[in-house]
Structures are given as C-alpha cells and as structure tokens.
Amino acid sequence: MDSLDKKILSVLQQDGQISMAALSERIGLSLSACHRRVKLMEADGIIRNYAAQIDRQTVGLEVQVFIEVKLNSQRREDLEAFEKAILSMPEILECHMITGEFDFLIRVCVHSPADYEALYRSSLSAIPAVSQMKTLLSLSTVKEFRGYHLR
C-alpha cells in the first residue's frame, strides 16, 4: 500500500458515496488508475464494505453504555461461549477482549434505560461464564470514530 492508496482510503472513509471521477480528481490520478486501485483494495479485503453513518440519537438510541465484563476463567470453552453469546445480541455494537482487571469491554446503544436493563437482565447476566459486569453510562460523546488515521 502506497501513499496514493492511503489518500484514496482517507477520502472514502469520509465519503463512501463519492463518484470515481470526483475521487480520482481529488487524489490526482486518472479515472482508470483510481478505479483499478479501489477495485484491488476491495478484492484484497482492505475495503470491506460501504455503509452510512447514522446519528444514533436521531433514530432514538439515546442511551450509550460501556460494560466491563469479567469471566469466571480464561478457558477456551468459556471464552468461546461468551463470544458466541455476544455475537447473537444485535444491541451490542462492539466487544473487545482487553487487558487489565476485566476481560472484555462492550459498547451498547439502546433506546432507554429500561431497554438496557432488559438486555442486562435477560441476556448479559444469563451468560454462564460471566462472573462480574460493570456498566459505565456515557454522558456525552466528545469524539466519535470517523475513520482510521492513515499515515
């Protein structure tokens, strides 16, 4: 990947609907060269998909929480059971295995505190391998993910 590919990726992260003509003009490449590079990055899995960024609050997802999760053990069976359960919950936006006191960090967005409580009681606390959870309520978002910083 060279600097032109990184420039293309930076533009596409900000505007996934940009026309190939406008993209090639912004990057300073011919239309065919720019198109070829984009198609190669798609084929190589560097560009996985194109998606709309939705303002969560305008669609009623008012509550954003982060949950620190500790498992009973680090045995493969417990890790796999936890990960399988998490993958089945559409409210969970992200789940990261982390270092430190807790094992995982989860990000959830829901409509209301009652919706979060329902998820917590019926789904999260029902995962057998979970020994402890700590919920952190996001009061506001200072900076949201808008794309990777490519050097």
Side-chain angles (χ1 to χ4, degrees), residues 55-91:
D55 182 321
R56 69 176 173 82
Q57 292 174 317
T58 62
V59 295
L61 296 170
E62 296 289 333
V63 177
Q64 178 171 242
V65 298
F66 296 88
I67 309 149
E68 295 175 323
V69 178
K70 187 183 289 188
L71 302 184
N72 291 321
S73 79
Q74 295 292 312
R75 292 179 329 161
R76 181 183 333 197
E77 301 82 27
D78 287 342
L79 291 170
E80 289 174 356
F82 175 79
E83 291 170 0
K84 182 178 179 184
I86 292 301
L87 289 170
S88 72
M89 298 177 203
E91 300 90 348

Side-chain angles (χ1 to χ4, degrees), residues 5-45:
D5 288 337
K6 290 176 184 176
K7 285 180 185 177
I8 290 170
L9 291 172
S10 293
V11 171
L12 287 175
Q13 286 184 109
Q14 299 306 310
D15 184 3
Q17 289 189 310
I18 191 170
S19 71
M20 200 57 65
L23 177 62
S24 65
E25 187 175 314
R26 263 183 80 181
I27 302 303
L29 283 174
S30 70
L31 179 61
S32 61
C34 187
H35 185 262
R36 184 180 66 253
R37 284 174 177 264
V38 169
K39 289 301 176 192
L40 280 171
M41 288 188 282
E42 290 172 349
D44 290 344

